[in-house]
Amino acid sequence: MTEMLIKAEGLSVHFTIGSGLFNKQILKAVDNVTLDIEKGSFFGLVGESGSGKTTLGRALLKAVPIAEGSAHYEDGEVSYDLQSLEGADLKDYRKRAQLIFQDPYAALSPRMTVRDIIAEPLEVMGLTKNRTETDERVREIAAKCRLNLEHLRRFPHAFSGGQRQRISIARALVSGPQFVVADESVAALDVSIQADVLNLLKQLQDELGLTFMFISHDLSVVAHTCDHVAVMYLGRLVETAPTRKLFAAPRHPYTKALFSAIPSLDPDDRGKAQKLEGEIPSPTNQPSGCKFHTRCPYAIDVCKTTEPQLETETDHEVACHRWKELMDAVPA
Ligand code: SF4
């Protein structure tokens, strides 16, 4: 039977911005999201900047408060309701759920050696008894992340982007987490280095039995890495499916537009791209009905008034009033 590590139901994250009676606004960064993340899987979360991906990842790490709905973590050893998690259980969850940052240049303190950067979570969380044990653990995880052990005494500025990201990965994994959120973790790297870091993440997933939530704006990166993909737009999930199914036959017009933005090697395909017009609307001023209707070439009257809910057909979910009739539509 499939085991789920994370289960979220109707999860929403709201931020209050501005102050005073008339300037205060509620920003719905994540709005009524339901998803399951299978244990040991590589779960992709895609969407443009401003779609709420990062906030959803942080809510699942209990790094931002959940306003509505619920999220549960269950790894066979412990079971936590993230909404009410606090005290010793929250401290324990910090060990089990970790984040790999996007920017390896900004994430690493330039004044700490690589050894101290990787060791810090062990020391802050009190996970080792003494320096010898800490050093042993640091060397073990550094080797798994393909870092040269001689380099542990150096400072981050001595390393390339790819090497720095491997240091960030080692720091995230040193506490022995089960769940890892990788937030645009290869976006700041050259394409050739991206493949190297992605291969390392896949290898670590296999070796350590990790479960990844891989956040990216780039579908082509997700294609080769993830088992399952969720597409997010303005705080809502609009489509989810196993990667193979999503890439073979995307159903939501937004997903199709994201696919069209992937450069094609076939010159005959290049003219067929469906351009994603306009900007993603502000989360403080969201459109009524389908949130994508202001940019969707297929919007009709009902799209402006009624929000479509996720419909499931086997393991493929889509939230669009017209997905069935649009299955064979050629991009406008
Ligand atoms: Fe486009 Fe309407 Fe479907 Fe929204 S519900 S994606 S506006 S066709």
Side-chain angles (χ1 to χ4, degrees):
M1 205 179 85
T2 310
E3 284 178 80
M4 295 301 163
L5 188 79
I6 297 279
K7 279 175 97 62
E9 208 169 318
L11 188 150
S12 298
V13 178
H14 300 164
F15 297 115
T16 304
I17 55 169
S19 57
L21 199 56
F22 300 108
N23 288 329
K24 216 187 254 180
Q25 284 180 298
I26 301 291
L27 186 153
K28 290 186 177 176
V30 176
D31 189 10
N32 197 18
V33 164
T34 294
L35 59 78
D36 293 339
I37 301 179
E38 198 179 321
K39 202 170 173 192
S41 69
F42 223 101
F43 184 95
L45 185 62
V46 298
E48 293 164 283
S49 172
S51 59
K53 314 181 295 292
T54 292
T55 308
L56 176 55
R58 277 160 208 243
L60 298 178
L61 291 173
K62 184 78 181 171
V64 292
I66 296 168
E68 288 165 7
S70 64
H72 287 88
Y73 170 90
E74 156 93 66
D75 66 9
E77 213 174 67
V78 296
S79 173
Y80 291 137
D81 172 355
L82 301 190
Q83 177 78 299
S84 58
L85 199 58
E86 56 183 9
D89 286 348
L90 178 57
K91 204 173 153 200
D92 180 63
Y93 188 60
R94 297 270 175 259
K95 185 182 82 180
R96 294 170 191 270
Q98 281 284 333
L99 173 70
I100 301 170
F101 290 96
Q102 171 180 4
D103 185 351
Y105 290 88
L108 307 178
S109 168
R111 283 183 287 279
M112 291 169 78
T113 62
V114 172
R115 181 263 171 211
D116 289 348
I117 287 170
I118 300 174
E120 193 176 44
L122 295 176
E123 285 158 359
V124 170
M125 292 188 229
L127 299 177
T128 45
K129 289 197 258 332
N130 50 44
R131 192 176 169 96
T132 309
E133 199 184 318
T134 303
D135 282 338
E136 220 167 85
R137 179 72 189 135
V138 168
R139 279 198 297 273
E140 186 190 331
I141 200 69
K144 282 195 194 311
C145 293
R146 291 192 237 135
L147 287 164
N148 185 333
L149 299 189
E150 309 251 305
H151 293 170
L152 292 174
R153 278 172 291 165
R154 296 196 190 166
F155 291 86
H157 65 79
F159 298 95
S160 67
Q163 286 170 317
R164 285 186 197 211
Q165 196 54 299
R166 275 185 263 143
I167 297 168
S168 294
I169 294 168
R171 180 184 161 93
L173 301 188
V174 76
S175 64
Q178 297 284 308
F179 179 48
V180 180
V181 175
D183 188 359
E184 298 280 11
S185 298
V186 297
L189 306 174
D190 290 346
V191 175
S192 56
I193 310 293
Q194 281 186 5
D196 189 43
V197 173
L198 288 172
N199 286 338
L200 173 64
L201 292 178
K202 288 296 277 182
Q203 193 185 315
L204 290 166
Q205 178 204 17
D206 285 346
E207 210 174 307
L208 304 173
L210 303 174
T211 303
F212 276 96
M213 173 182 255
F214 187 78
I215 298 175
S216 178
H217 65 282
D218 187 344
L219 271 171
S220 53
V221 170
V222 164
H224 302 292
T225 321
C226 299
D227 311 306
H228 202 96
V229 181
V231 182
M232 204 165 176
Y233 187 77
L234 217 50
R236 304 275 296 210
L237 293 189
V238 296
E239 185 162 5
T240 77
T243 310
R244 188 180 34 80
K245 276 196 176 180
L246 191 85
F247 278 70
R251 293 177 177 173
H252 197 282
Y254 178 59
T255 315
K256 291 180 190 179
L258 290 179
F259 273 112
S260 299
I262 301 174
S264 172
L265 293 176
D266 181 350
D268 292 339
D269 281 347
R270 285 184 195 147
K272 294 181 195 165
Q274 176 189 316
K275 284 204 188 82
L276 196 50
E277 303 285 354
E279 299 284 316
I280 192 165
S282 162
T284 57
N285 187 21
Q286 301 199 6
S288 58
C290 172
K291 292 178 198 293
F292 188 55
H293 86 253
T294 53
R295 302 168 78 192
C296 179
Y298 309 108
I300 54 176
D301 285 349
V302 68
C303 304
K304 296 174 190 161
T305 55
T306 309
E307 180 154 24
Q309 302 303 312
L310 279 174
E311 280 178 40
T312 311
E313 207 181 73
T314 57
D315 48 3
H316 196 152
E317 296 178 301
V318 61
C320 169
H321 294 302
R322 306 187 66 196
W323 74 266
K324 281 188 181 148
E325 57 182 298
L326 294 175
M327 277 302 280
D328 300 320
V330 177

